[in-house]
Amino acid sequence: MRIYFTRHGETEWNKLGIIQGQLDSALTSEGIEMGKRLREKSKDLHFDKIYSSDLGRAYDTARLICPDREIIKTPLLREIDVGSWSGKNIKDVKVDDEVLYKKYFEDPKNYERPDGESIHDLRKRVEKFFEEAIYPNEDENILLVTHGVTIVAIYSLIEGIPIEDFWSNRVRRNGEFNIADYEDGSFKIIKKAPKNPVDSI
C-alpha cells in the first residue's frame, strides 16, 4: 500500500500566524491553487480510498484534489485541539502562555492541558485511524488530507519515534505530498514534504 498524505492548502489564518487547532478558516486563493496543483500531480494515480479530516480546510482541499470522488471524512484526522490557543496569534501565545508553550515544544511527553489534547491524545487518535483504515486493508493507493501537527504524529507512529522526541519531525508545508509505503507490517518513507519555514501549532 502506498499512502499519500498532505497538509491542507494555505488558509487565511495560516497567512496571519493565527493558531487554528480545531477551529477553522477559509483557504486562501493560494491555498486553492495548492489543491489544484496536487490534483495535477496525482492525475495519473488512482486512489482506492480518500480520507480527510472533517475540518473544512482539509475537506475543501480534498475536494480540490479529487473533485469527482467520494471522500471519507473522519474526526480522527483532525488537527490537535489546543484549547484556548485556538484563534490567537502564535506570537501572542508565545509571550502570554510562555510556560505551556515551551512545554509543548520542549517537553511534549509532559504537555497537558485541561481544555484540549495532549500529544499522547493526538498520537492515540492517529493510531486508532491506522488500526481502522490502514492495517486491515489491502488498497494500493490511499490519500489522507489532514493537518500540520497531525502529520508530525503520523511520522512519529510510522517511524517509531517516542513522544519525547515528537518534534524531531517539524510541521510540513501546506499542499505538498508526503509518501510512505506500508507492506508486511512495516513502513518505508518515500518522500517527506519540505518543512514549514516557521513554527506551527
Side-chain angles (χ1 to χ4, degrees), residues 21-49:
Q22 294 190 359
L23 296 183
D24 228 339
S25 70
L27 297 178
T28 62
S29 57
E30 173 58 20
I32 292 168
E33 288 305 311
M34 287 175 176
K36 290 177 179 177
R37 286 197 291 270
L38 289 178
R39 182 198 311 168
E40 180 64 21
K41 284 181 181 178
S42 58
K43 67 181 180 181
D44 295 326
L45 290 171
H46 172 74
F47 294 118
D48 297 288
K49 290 194 184 73

Side-chain angles (χ1 to χ4, degrees), residues 17-158:
I18 295 173
I19 300 165
Q20 291 174 113
Q22 294 190 359
L23 296 183
D24 228 339
S25 70
L27 297 178
T28 62
S29 57
E30 173 58 20
I32 292 168
E33 288 305 311
M34 287 175 176
K36 290 177 179 177
R37 286 197 291 270
L38 289 178
R39 182 198 311 168
E40 180 64 21
K41 284 181 181 178
S42 58
K43 67 181 180 181
D44 295 326
L45 290 171
H46 172 74
F47 294 118
D48 297 288
K49 290 194 184 73
I50 301 153
Y51 297 92
S52 171
S53 157
D54 62 346
L55 298 175
R57 60 193 185 272
Y59 181 66
D60 289 347
T61 303
R63 287 192 308 161
L64 287 164
I65 300 169
C66 300
D68 303 318
R69 294 289 308 281
E70 177 192 5
I71 297 163
I72 304 164
K73 291 199 283 188
T74 172
L76 296 177
L77 289 176
R78 282 184 177 188
E79 183 58 289
I80 188 170
D81 184 352
V82 289
S84 64
W85 290 355
S86 303
K88 293 180 180 176
N89 192 289
I90 192 168
K91 291 177 183 175
D92 294 333
V93 168
K94 200 171 184 177
V95 173
D96 298 341
D97 204 357
E98 181 183 6
V99 172
L100 193 57
Y101 181 89
K102 278 189 172 178
K103 183 164 274 196
Y104 180 76
F105 281 112
E106 296 174 12
D107 188 17
K109 185 177 181 180
N110 295 305
Y111 165 81
E112 300 275 352
R113 61 183 311 135
D115 62 345
E117 293 178 301
S118 67
I119 300 295
H120 291 280
D121 293 333
L122 172 62
R123 172 69 185 261
K124 277 188 231 168
R125 184 153 56 75
V126 167
E127 285 175 352
K128 186 177 181 189
F129 173 79
F130 272 68
E131 286 163 4
E132 293 179 1
I134 305 296
Y135 301 145
N137 293 316
E138 296 183 358
D139 299 311
E140 284 191 25
N141 294 309
I142 66 166
L143 171 64
L144 315 180
V145 184
T146 181
H147 304 270
V149 184
T150 309
I151 287 175
V152 179
I154 289 172
Y155 275 124
S156 79
L157 174 65
I158 68 180

Side-chain angles (χ1 to χ4, degrees), residues 172-184:
R172 304 282 146 181
R173 288 186 185 168
N174 299 85
E176 297 266 4
F177 280 136
N178 301 267
I179 307 171
D181 284 347
Y182 177 68
E183 189 174 356
D184 298 328

